[in-house]
Amino acid sequence: SCVGFTLIALCVLLLARTEKSAERADAIAESQLSHLADFATDLFWETDLEGYVTTAGGRLLRVLSTNTQDILGRHYLDVIKLDGTEMDKMLSALQQVKPYSDILSILRDPNGKRYYISLSATPRFNTDGDVIGYLGVGTNVTKRIEAQSRLRHMAEHDMLTGLSNRYAFQNRIDKSVGDSEEDSNVALLAIDIDHFKTINDTYGHQAGAALLNLVAKRIQKTIRGDDWAARLGGDEFVVVTRNIPNPVDACLMAARLVTALSRPYQIGGIELKCTASVGVACAPLHAESSQTLMKCADLALYAAKGDGRS
């Protein structure tokens, strides 16, 4: 009947309006959530099932990119920068379609400033329960990472000279000696400043500290690029030089150090003259452990001092 048709048409119209209202409400809610995420989140993004970015935003994104639209359509792994370990952690989660968290990425702004970002994400599902991509957020942890780096540097470096300290030396020498081979020795050069106590007593601790700082700089200028130096305390320094086919090469390095460290020093308008003595030992030629190697280098150093120093 006409009445029945009218009722059906009215129901269809009401249903259509209801659906449009629901769609409009969803759109408004999605827009509000997007604005909230932009305000409250450093980074957020969505990807499709293949990993291409469909949505991206957040207050930090505007700092990292001059045009945030350039991010859309790019593969997620082309946008973030991960080292090998972090990439393995992420790929393992993606392959198992699992959430991941605290993946550390390093991103740079257009001026080259570095930002450390902690990435977390979870799979996205449709109404049928099928995975359709990932939803993720990033947190700016730059201050935390830089603070940790400063603390680690302070823990591993001598505050006066900037060289590695005894703690860092012990950790590194163990590995170096463990990697040494018969035709590729690791040489340990133990260095002492001759009569340093006399200089310290005569000119004061401030001059003594300045002298140690200059000694450290000369050591760093003298050694090769792959070598490294440490200050063990007082006027005790060490140099570790690797890939030494012949112990004579290590002795030549020691001779260069003695020459460099024995040149006069200008400190506060005063010219200080001092010399240095060096003891050399090689692993595995003279020792097969770092403790024994250090003892051998110390014995050689005592012998050098006993033979007249310098």
Side-chain angles (χ1 to χ4, degrees), residues 120-297:
S120 301
T122 187
R124 295 167 53 223
F125 300 90
N126 61 17
T127 54
D128 295 326
D130 300 320
V131 178
I132 58 173
Y134 265 77
L135 170 66
V137 294
T139 303
N140 185 2
V141 294
T142 304
K143 290 183 179 180
R144 187 190 80 192
I145 296 298
E146 289 179 345
Q148 291 174 347
S149 178
R150 284 193 295 271
L151 288 173
R152 186 163 55 250
H153 185 275
M154 290 172 62
E156 297 178 350
H157 289 79
D158 174 52
M159 296 299 292
L160 175 63
T161 64
L163 297 180
S164 297
N165 60 17
R166 182 181 290 274
Y167 168 77
F169 162 75
Q170 194 59 58
N171 287 339
R172 292 183 69 179
I173 191 62
D174 288 341
K175 185 178 186 309
S176 294
V177 172
D179 293 341
S180 64
E181 298 175 356
E182 187 173 345
D183 58 348
S184 182
N185 281 266
V186 169
L188 177 62
L189 284 63
I191 306 167
D192 258 10
I193 305 303
D194 297 327
H195 305 298
F196 177 73
K197 186 178 184 303
T198 302
I199 294 173
N200 224 16
D201 292 343
T202 303
Y203 297 99
H205 293 291
Q206 189 171 355
L211 174 62
L212 293 175
N213 203 12
L214 292 174
V215 166
K217 286 180 169 57
R218 289 191 186 182
I219 290 174
Q220 287 180 300
K221 287 182 178 180
T222 305
I223 62 179
R224 306 175 310 173
D226 290 339
D227 302 338
W228 54 276
R231 180 187 175 218
L232 303 188
D235 64 326
E236 296 179 67
F237 296 85
V238 290
V239 166
V240 178
T241 179
R242 295 170 292 178
N243 302 319
I244 298 294
N246 190 313
V248 173
D249 296 325
C251 292
L252 292 174
M253 169 64 76
R256 289 196 293 272
L257 284 166
V258 168
T259 299
L261 299 180
S262 298
R263 295 197 306 270
Y265 297 85
Q266 298 293 331
I267 299 174
I270 301 173
E271 183 177 90
L272 292 182
K273 294 182 180 180
C274 64
T275 58
S277 298
V278 183
V280 182
C282 296
L285 179 64
H286 302 128
E288 294 185 353
S289 71
S290 60
Q291 291 84 359
T292 305
L293 184 67
M294 192 68 199
K295 289 178 182 178
C296 290

Side-chain angles (χ1 to χ4, degrees), residues 8-184:
I8 292 173
L10 182 59
C11 288
V12 171
L13 179 61
L14 289 173
L15 181 60
R17 287 181 175 176
T18 300
E19 290 177 348
K20 286 183 179 179
S21 297
E23 289 176 358
R24 190 178 301 111
D26 287 343
I28 292 172
E30 186 173 343
S31 175
Q32 290 173 335
L33 285 173
S34 178
H35 285 306
L36 179 62
D38 259 328
F39 174 77
T41 308
D42 291 327
L43 289 176
F44 72 90
W45 68 89
E46 290 183 12
T47 68
D48 61 18
L49 193 55
E50 295 182 347
Y52 290 94
V53 179
T54 58
T55 303
R59 56 196 175 199
L60 187 59
L61 186 61
R62 292 184 291 274
V63 175
L64 295 172
S65 177
T66 55
N67 185 1
T68 56
Q69 293 299 311
D70 291 342
I71 305 296
L72 303 181
R74 294 177 61 187
H75 197 279
Y76 174 61
L77 295 180
D78 291 335
V79 177
I80 61 174
K81 305 298 179 184
L82 304 176
D83 67 16
T85 302
E86 299 298 290
M87 179 65 80
D88 289 343
K89 287 162 58 177
M90 176 175 284
L91 291 178
S92 175
L94 294 177
Q95 289 166 0
Q96 300 176 64
V97 196
K98 289 183 176 181
Y100 61 80
S101 61
D102 202 23
I103 301 289
L104 189 64
S105 172
I106 299 177
L107 301 177
R108 295 182 183 274
D109 67 14
N111 296 320
K113 183 178 178 180
R114 181 172 55 190
Y115 291 83
Y116 292 93
I117 312 298
S118 176
L119 306 174
S120 301
T122 187
R124 295 167 53 223
F125 300 90
N126 61 17
T127 54
D128 295 326
D130 300 320
V131 178
I132 58 173
Y134 265 77
L135 170 66
V137 294
T139 303
N140 185 2
V141 294
T142 304
K143 290 183 179 180
R144 187 190 80 192
I145 296 298
E146 289 179 345
Q148 291 174 347
S149 178
R150 284 193 295 271
L151 288 173
R152 186 163 55 250
H153 185 275
M154 290 172 62
E156 297 178 350
H157 289 79
D158 174 52
M159 296 299 292
L160 175 63
T161 64
L163 297 180
S164 297
N165 60 17
R166 182 181 290 274
Y167 168 77
F169 162 75
Q170 194 59 58
N171 287 339
R172 292 183 69 179
I173 191 62
D174 288 341
K175 185 178 186 309
S176 294
V177 172
D179 293 341
S180 64
E181 298 175 356
E182 187 173 345
D183 58 348
S184 182

